[in-house]
Amino acid sequence: MPVSATPSFQLQPSAYRVPGATNYIGSAAFDWTNQYLPDIYEKEFERYGNRSISGFLRMVGAEMPCASDLIRWAEQGRLHIKYTGCTFTAFGAGGGTLRIPATQFAAALGSPVATNANPLSQTNFGVRVGQTLVLQQENGTKNFHGIISAISYVAGGGSVNQDVTINLYEDTTTGAPVVGSESYTIWVYGSEFRKGTGGMTDTLQPFDLYFANNPVIIKDRYTVTGSDMTQIGWVEVTTENGASGYLWYMKAEHESRLRFEDYLEATVIEAVPAVGTAAANAGNATQGFKGTEGVFYAVQQRGNVFSGGFPTGLADFDAIVQRLDKQGAIEENAMFVNRAASFGMDDFLAAQNSYGTGGTSYGLFDNSEQMALNLGFRGFRRGYDFYKTDWKYLNDPTMRGQGTASGTVGGAINGLLVPAGTTNVYDEVMGQNAKRPFLHVRYRETEAESRKFKTWAIGSAGGAANSDSDSMSVHYLSERCVCTLGANNFFIFQS
């Protein structure tokens, strides 16, 4: 049987690039959409700019190896002695008995303590017979000076209070202390002894503050099959760590590494220790996670918290300066803030200028119309030097940048004030005093094993030959923590 397959028209290729009815390839005869390779941009477009959030600890911290699951350090206590909430239990004829509550021993802000023969508490309060005191009435106007003539201890309610017999230097015929109803803050300013008398009977021991932290293990991985490794597709990239060039399947591995490096920093910033009753610390095979002290947690627990969001005026900074005066009085401080806090500080600093409306002429130039107007302030001095910089970690919407369509999420952290320089601490491992940055990253390391940043490949593809899996898995591991030294010098700005 003859075959009859005559088409409606015959395609006739043209010798020239001229469109015609006989050389048109219709969709019914040919899938012209796949006739040529698609026109592809070779260079990857950086849609979100620099996506990495790390870099904070490289600017303000240092790294040092450790060889233990526990890191301990000591910080100096206060040099002088001060107690609050003290009341007179008896008073008459210019003297009386002042009771220092037992809670003051634990809350004495690191004041030195006296070693004495007290049977109730071998190490107790720091005041001694012969010392002279200032007594300042709390929420009142009375001020007295006195000398201690005797000390006794009174047990009650499971605690030990210290009763101090004081003879006042002032005439108290008018305005004498009222027994029981007036609270006094006292501090030692010296001592006085009569001629021919013995010396001080007790001695003071420094009250060091001891802290500890533990490293945690951080892991990640990237896997690619052997088949996917043969399907090469080149892409020109520029990455956050400065690398540029062409990558194919390892593009994803490269981003996995960058993401892991961000996690290393975010962990020591955000981590919290697991309390004993927490589900994460249940102590079984699937839980039993102990956590670690991150920077935010350490400052919230042992540092200073500005709970008004962020400073928006000189009054706020005056309060911060007065608080810093009571701590280490570090001369230079760096503030790492989010965008809202940065703009807020710029606004109130610009408002201090009296040369133009809204501070628009503030700066070291004449603001001519050909020049850009600069309203951003990088630093200023108010008692101490403060330097301000934007912290990407607090602006990135996938991390702490918590801006939403309806406003800011409650409890947001808006910034962190970090003291510059170093501090003296006693390193219990080294057994000596050492200078350390205020933020100190510790990672596990010995001569045989370094866990600062481990990476290895497993599989049978891509050069790996240690498994029968038809793939390559790149593993990442680090074991580290951060030691926030002198957290009392830090400020955290939060809602």
Side-chain angles (χ1 to χ4, degrees):
M1 178 178 178
V3 177
S4 177
T6 303
S8 57
F9 64 91
Q10 190 72 26
L11 289 175
Q12 296 292 334
S14 172
Y16 304 97
R17 293 183 180 180
V18 178
T22 61
N23 65 355
Y24 172 71
I25 304 177
S27 59
F30 187 81
D31 187 3
W32 59 271
T33 59
N34 290 325
Q35 184 179 5
Y36 303 103
L37 291 176
D39 191 357
I40 300 176
Y41 281 99
E42 190 177 63
K43 184 173 177 58
E44 184 182 52
F45 182 71
E46 300 174 23
R47 178 176 180 178
Y48 295 108
N50 188 338
R51 297 164 298 166
S52 176
I53 52 87
S54 63
F56 167 72
L57 289 176
R58 286 197 295 269
M59 290 187 287
V60 299
E63 294 184 332
M64 182 178 177
C66 64
S68 175
D69 278 334
L70 183 65
I71 302 167
R72 294 179 59 86
W73 71 94
E75 297 180 7
Q76 293 176 340
R78 296 282 186 177
L79 187 62
H80 301 289
I81 302 164
K82 183 177 184 178
Y83 301 121
T84 63
C86 305
T87 57
F88 279 95
T89 59
F91 189 84
T97 302
L98 184 73
R99 174 160 296 178
I100 305 175
T103 54
Q104 284 298 291
F105 175 65
L109 302 177
S111 294
V113 294
T115 301
N116 49 50
N118 166 36
L120 298 176
S121 177
Q122 183 64 30
T123 302
N124 213 287
F125 300 88
V127 295
R128 296 167 290 172
V129 173
Q131 287 185 317
T132 52
L133 307 174
V134 173
L135 297 86
Q136 189 174 61
Q137 184 186 7
E138 299 171 1
N139 300 319
T141 59
K142 296 178 181 179
N143 287 274
F144 303 102
H145 297 74
I147 185 169
I148 300 174
S149 60
I151 293 176
S152 62
Y153 298 90
V154 179
S159 60
V160 178
N161 301 308
Q162 187 177 43
D163 282 356
V164 180
T165 302
I166 297 179
N167 296 315
L168 300 184
Y169 284 91
E170 290 88 356
D171 182 3
T172 58
T173 54
T174 59
V178 179
V179 174
S181 61
E182 294 177 353
S183 294
Y184 286 85
T185 294
I186 66 171
W187 65 91
V188 177
Y189 72 89
S191 63
E192 183 180 358
F193 291 86
R194 295 186 297 272
K195 293 180 179 180
T197 60
M200 189 74 70
T201 56
D202 297 325
T203 183
L204 292 182
Q205 299 295 331
F207 189 91
D208 280 349
L209 305 173
Y210 296 94
F211 302 100
N213 203 4
N214 57 271
V216 292
I217 300 173
I218 311 165
K219 295 182 180 181
D220 208 340
R221 68 179 294 179
Y222 165 74
T223 300
V224 60
T225 66
S227 297
D228 289 340
M229 294 172 69
T230 63
Q231 185 173 336
I232 300 176
W234 295 97
V235 177
E236 184 181 0
V237 298
T238 302
T239 59
E240 283 75 7
N241 65 357
S244 62
Y246 293 89
L247 296 174
W248 47 303
Y249 71 92
M250 295 302 284
K251 157 70 176 172
E253 189 277 334
H254 186 70
E255 289 203 355
S256 297
R257 178 184 292 266
L258 290 176
R259 187 182 304 111
F260 182 68
E261 289 175 351
D262 281 357
Y263 288 161
L264 295 184
E265 180 161 309
T267 296
V268 297
I269 291 174
E270 289 283 357
V272 299
V275 299
T277 57
N281 192 24
N284 55 55
T286 60
Q287 295 164 320
F289 301 104
K290 54 188 177 182
T292 185
E293 274 195 5
V295 177
F296 288 162
Y297 177 86
V299 177
Q300 288 169 336
Q301 298 298 313
R302 300 186 276 114
N304 307 286
V305 177
F306 186 92
S307 58
F310 53 85
T312 58
L314 291 180
D316 289 339
F317 267 98
D318 289 349
I320 291 174
V321 168
Q322 291 171 11
R323 179 63 181 174
L324 293 177
D325 282 340
K326 300 176 182 179
Q327 306 305 318
I330 307 301
E331 184 68 18
E332 295 184 343
N333 300 272
M335 296 182 295
F336 297 84
V337 297
N338 63 13
R339 185 65 70 182
S342 180
F343 282 165
M345 294 180 191
D346 287 345
D347 290 345
F348 90 77
L349 288 173
Q352 309 309 310
N353 173 35
S354 60
Y355 296 100
T357 302
T360 56
S361 64
Y362 202 100
L364 299 178
F365 48 84
D366 59 3
N367 282 342
S368 64
E369 60 183 11
Q370 289 83 17
M371 301 182 68
L373 183 63
N374 183 10
L375 292 179
F377 294 81
R378 293 298 180 187
F380 63 97
R381 182 171 181 83
R382 182 73 172 178
Y384 301 107
D385 290 329
F386 296 95
Y387 303 100
K388 173 176 66 68
T389 184
D390 292 331
W391 190 3
K392 188 171 184 180
Y393 180 70
L394 299 181
N395 289 323
D396 193 303
T398 60
M399 303 300 282
R400 274 281 182 177
Q402 300 184 28
T404 64
S406 59
T408 303
V409 177
I413 292 178
N414 301 297
L416 183 71
L417 184 147
V418 180
T422 60
T423 183
N424 284 315
V425 297
Y426 180 78
D427 193 311
E428 292 190 335
V429 177
M430 299 175 63
Q432 62 184 15
N433 286 323
K435 283 186 176 293
R436 294 282 182 264
F438 286 87
L439 288 177
H440 199 201
V441 177
R442 306 295 296 267
Y443 56 88
R444 298 291 298 274
E445 183 177 88
T446 63
E447 293 181 358
E449 172 77 1
S450 175
R451 299 169 73 82
K452 181 179 180 180
F453 191 116
K454 289 187 64 176
T455 180
W456 67 95
I458 295 177
S460 62
N466 49 19
S467 170
D468 62 355
S469 174
D470 184 16
S471 64
M472 181 185 71
S473 294
V474 182
H475 293 256
Y476 315 96
L477 180 146
S478 182
E479 188 170 0
R480 60 179 57 206
C481 68
V482 66
C483 299
T484 306
L485 309 179
N488 58 303
N489 295 283
F490 288 68
F491 252 98
I492 190 168
F493 308 136
Q494 64 185 45
S495 300

